[in-house]
Amino acid sequence: MGQARSAGTGTADPGPGQQPCMELRESWAALAAGGVAGVCVDLILFPLDTVKTRLQSPQGFRKAGGFRGIYAGVPSTAIGSFPNAAAFFITYENVKSVLPHGSSSYLSPATHMVAASLGEVVACLIRVPSEVVKQRAQVSPSSSTLQILSHTLYHEGIQGLYRGYKSTVLREIPFSLVQFPLWESLKEQGPGFIVIYKPLTASVLCPVLMVLKPAQRDLWSWKQGHVVDSWQSAVCGAFAGGFAAAVTTPLDVAKTRIMLAKAGSSNARGNVLAALGGIWRTQGLSGLFAGVVPRMAAISLGGFIFLGTYEKTRQLLL
């Protein structure tokens, strides 16, 4: 088969006995491409994110600002986007390079899951403070980003900026466990296996089970005989992102409620299960899936822009 190219990374698979590693140039390319992709997607889709946050706000859409001040909180996003996305992708690509991959199609999804999960844990150290300030500004459009930041630090200290860290990680890891193996398998080169997600029970809130199905020869890379182009990777990213967004919406709602909760309230303690239980008791299923349409729209478009821009920028840098 010669030097097969690893789907999604553009790097050659290591031969027998070789220690897989990532060159410094590839690490810098992953960092820069991830940062550029993060800034592009966050700024372009910021209005949809604001609508989603206000729909999920406990005070209701209209009281949270409705369609007024749709760019409230954008400075926080502009500052945090590049380092956040860069941290994710440099972790994701480096972890993939040291874990077993290439030799077994069964191992690939597990490798992508572990790499994406570790990437999210690292990225959330940067993302959460930016997200806290952004979401509070989105539901208080009359206050500036600097005022929100100063108020949070004065009344809650640094820990206030990390309110919702656990809930964010608990949202992002399941999201990435669905999105990235699905994205990578849709782009997969050669006959191997595609990731399929099946519900464990009939409940709409049930977890999903990942299973492997032999890939047919209609996957783009296999049909073309080469790794997918950046626009094709973007389409795969849109599909994977939209599906992952729908599945993880209840966790996103819980994260939003925790970040927006008043200091000293029950939700401010950051208990995700308690937040989900409270939403279920007061608003039912519709409350758990509040904002699911703008979230799916934003993340589908975001997956297209984010992963497509990442692939294209990385190709240009390597």
Side-chain angles (χ1 to χ4, degrees):
M1 292 177 64
Q3 285 280 10
R5 306 291 285 182
S6 178
T9 64
T11 57
D13 291 330
Q18 283 185 290
Q19 177 65 33
C21 61
M22 193 171 179
E23 295 179 1
L24 183 61
R25 183 183 177 191
E26 292 175 326
S27 293
W28 280 109
L31 187 149
V36 169
V39 171
C40 288
V41 70
D42 285 344
L43 294 183
I44 290 171
L45 299 178
F46 192 85
L48 271 176
D49 183 71
T50 300
V51 171
K52 184 268 299 181
T53 297
R54 291 175 180 176
L55 284 169
Q56 294 177 348
S57 168
Q59 63 200 86
F61 180 71
R62 291 194 178 186
K63 288 185 179 180
F67 290 104
R68 295 181 292 105
I70 210 76
Y71 278 95
V74 76
S76 176
T77 294
I79 292 169
S81 288
F82 189 98
N84 161 38
F88 172 81
F89 270 111
I90 196 169
T91 305
Y92 178 70
E93 295 290 358
N94 274 283
V95 171
K96 274 205 307 183
S97 73
V98 299
L99 290 178
H101 66 287
S103 60
S104 171
S105 297
Y106 285 103
L107 287 177
S108 292
T111 295
H112 300 145
M113 286 178 168
V114 172
S117 298
L118 291 176
E120 293 294 358
V121 170
V122 173
C124 281
L125 293 172
I126 300 168
R127 180 182 307 151
V128 171
S130 172
E131 186 90 351
V132 168
V133 174
K134 178 201 74 174
Q135 290 202 320
R136 292 181 181 184
Q138 285 174 327
V139 298
S140 304
S142 59
S143 301
S144 70
T145 298
L146 186 58
Q147 287 174 324
I148 296 287
L149 175 62
S150 300
H151 183 273
T152 302
L153 287 173
Y154 181 78
H155 290 279
E156 301 177 63
I158 292 295
Q159 63 266 35
L161 291 177
Y162 280 92
R163 167 98 68 81
Y165 177 80
K166 288 187 293 184
S167 60
T168 304
V169 170
L170 288 174
R171 177 199 67 175
E172 296 296 348
I173 287 180
F175 180 88
S176 293
L177 289 180
V178 175
Q179 184 188 35
F180 280 88
L182 185 56
W183 176 54
E184 297 276 10
S185 68
L186 287 170
K187 303 183 302 166
E188 194 68 46
Q189 181 178 9
F193 294 82
I194 186 168
V195 183
I196 302 295
Y197 295 91
K198 292 184 176 180
L200 293 176
T201 71
S203 169
V204 71
L205 298 179
C206 72
V208 290
L209 172 68
M210 185 201 79
V211 297
L212 298 174
K213 176 184 176 182
Q216 303 300 316
R217 297 195 175 196
D218 57 356
L219 295 181
W220 274 347
S221 286
W222 174 256
K223 195 169 184 178
Q224 295 175 159
H226 60 80
V227 175
V228 292
D229 298 324
S230 56
W231 72 267
Q232 294 170 321
S233 176
V235 172
C236 294
F239 177 80
F243 181 79
V247 171
T248 58
T249 294
L251 292 172
D252 185 58
V253 176
K255 185 269 306 180
T256 298
R257 295 293 178 89
I258 288 169
M259 285 186 171
L260 296 181
K262 292 180 180 179
S265 65
S266 58
N267 278 342
R269 290 196 291 269
N271 189 314
V272 178
L273 290 177
L276 287 170
I279 297 165
W280 173 258
R281 285 191 299 272
T282 57
Q283 296 176 274
L285 195 61
S286 62
L288 289 171
F289 282 88
V292 66
V293 173
R295 174 170 161 79
M296 285 185 66
I299 293 181
S300 292
L301 285 171
F304 183 90
I305 298 168
F306 185 59
L307 297 174
T309 302
Y310 173 74
E311 290 276 7
K312 187 64 177 178
T313 306
R314 196 165 183 277
Q315 288 170 10
L316 292 173
L317 292 174
L318 289 175

